């Protein structure tokens, strides 16, 4: 993953006023544990207007869903629930010819109460234009990684707990 790709993504999302929270490896890095990651994991507020803005923003910089999913389909809560239930789908993957080294995974269900996490999330101002980016809080990241429970998630949880202890959170 390239920093310039992530900047382009966050700038496009900011331009379109998309409400999203960065989770996964990038959020772990934002909290202080430096490790490699290959994609950007995003939780977008799953309301139709925000979903449309997210699709528009990502489309402007060349991102398209890998699966043939339209913004109208993704905005349909019942359809997303069916994908989750019948296909074990967790995320909709986006890919761009312009930024091929930075795929994006957008969660199809809210893994947490969006507004509560929006309020609790770590907000950093990045880039020359000081774009605000919200990164999931440490407790939320720990909960998400415990649910996923892959070996790399277990390592992340260990480091996140150390960071949490050291910061007194």
């Amino acid at each position: 993953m390239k920093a310039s790709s992530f900047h382009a993504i966050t700038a496009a999302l900011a331009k379109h006023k998309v409400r999203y929270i960065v989770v996964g490896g990038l959020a772990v890095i934002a909290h202080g544990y430096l490790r490699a990651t290959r994609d950007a994991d995003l939780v977008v507020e799953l309301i139709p207007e925000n979903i449309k803005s997210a699709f528009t923003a990502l489309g402007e910089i060349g991102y398209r869903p890998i699966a043939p999913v339209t913004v109208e389909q993704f905005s349909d809560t019942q359809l997303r629930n069916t994908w989750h239930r019948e296909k074990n789908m967790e995320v909709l993957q986006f890919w761009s010819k312009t930024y091929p080294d930075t795929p994006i995974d957008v969660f199809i269900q809210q893994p947490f109460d969006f507004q509560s996490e929006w309020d609790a999330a770590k907000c950093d101002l990045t880039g020359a234009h000081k774009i605000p980016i919200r990164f999931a809080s440490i407790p939320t990241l720990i909960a998400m990684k415990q649910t996923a429970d892959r070996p790399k998630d277990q390592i992340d949880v260990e480091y996140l707990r150390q960071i949490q202890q050291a910061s007194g959170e």
Side-chain angles (χ1 to χ4, degrees):
M1 168 176 300
K2 295 183 179 178
S4 60
S5 301
F6 185 63
H7 175 73
I9 294 163
T10 57
L13 293 171
K15 174 183 170 188
H16 288 275
K17 298 177 175 46
V18 177
R19 284 174 44 104
Y20 71 97
I21 299 170
V22 178
V23 296
L26 287 173
V28 171
I29 293 166
H31 284 288
Y33 172 47
L34 299 179
R35 51 94 130 181
T37 188
R38 66 166 215 57
D39 61 7
D41 297 313
L42 306 177
V43 174
V44 171
E45 186 177 30
L46 293 174
I47 58 174
E49 306 82 37
N50 196 60
I51 292 168
K52 183 178 180 185
S53 295
F55 270 65
T56 299
L58 295 175
E60 282 185 2
I61 56 172
Y63 278 93
R64 302 285 181 264
I66 292 174
V69 172
T70 66
V71 66
E72 293 79 16
Q73 290 171 319
F74 197 75
S75 295
D76 184 331
T77 303
Q78 290 181 351
L79 186 54
R80 287 194 321 270
N81 288 340
T82 299
W83 296 337
H84 180 73
R85 188 178 55 256
E86 294 178 6
K87 299 180 181 186
N88 294 319
M89 187 175 174
E90 297 290 331
V91 297
L92 178 61
Q93 298 175 323
F94 287 76
W95 186 82
S96 169
K97 289 180 188 177
T98 309
Y99 304 103
D101 296 330
T102 310
I104 301 172
D105 288 345
V106 175
F107 280 73
I108 68 164
Q109 295 186 317
Q110 307 283 209
F112 43 71
D113 178 76
F114 190 88
Q115 186 60 51
S116 296
E117 188 57 27
W118 178 266
D119 295 338
K122 175 183 177 176
C123 187
D124 284 343
L125 299 175
T126 64
H129 302 290
K130 300 297 182 198
I131 297 168
I133 302 171
R134 281 187 162 73
F135 295 93
S137 65
I138 290 177
T140 294
L141 284 172
I142 289 173
M144 289 179 75
K145 291 192 163 288
Q146 286 176 323
T147 299
D149 202 31
R150 299 168 298 188
K152 68 180 176 180
D153 295 312
Q154 294 168 4
I155 294 167
D156 286 347
V157 166
E158 182 179 323
Y159 281 99
L160 286 167
R161 283 190 174 135
Q162 290 174 16
I163 291 166
Q164 188 177 35
Q165 246 180 352
S167 68
E169 283 188 42

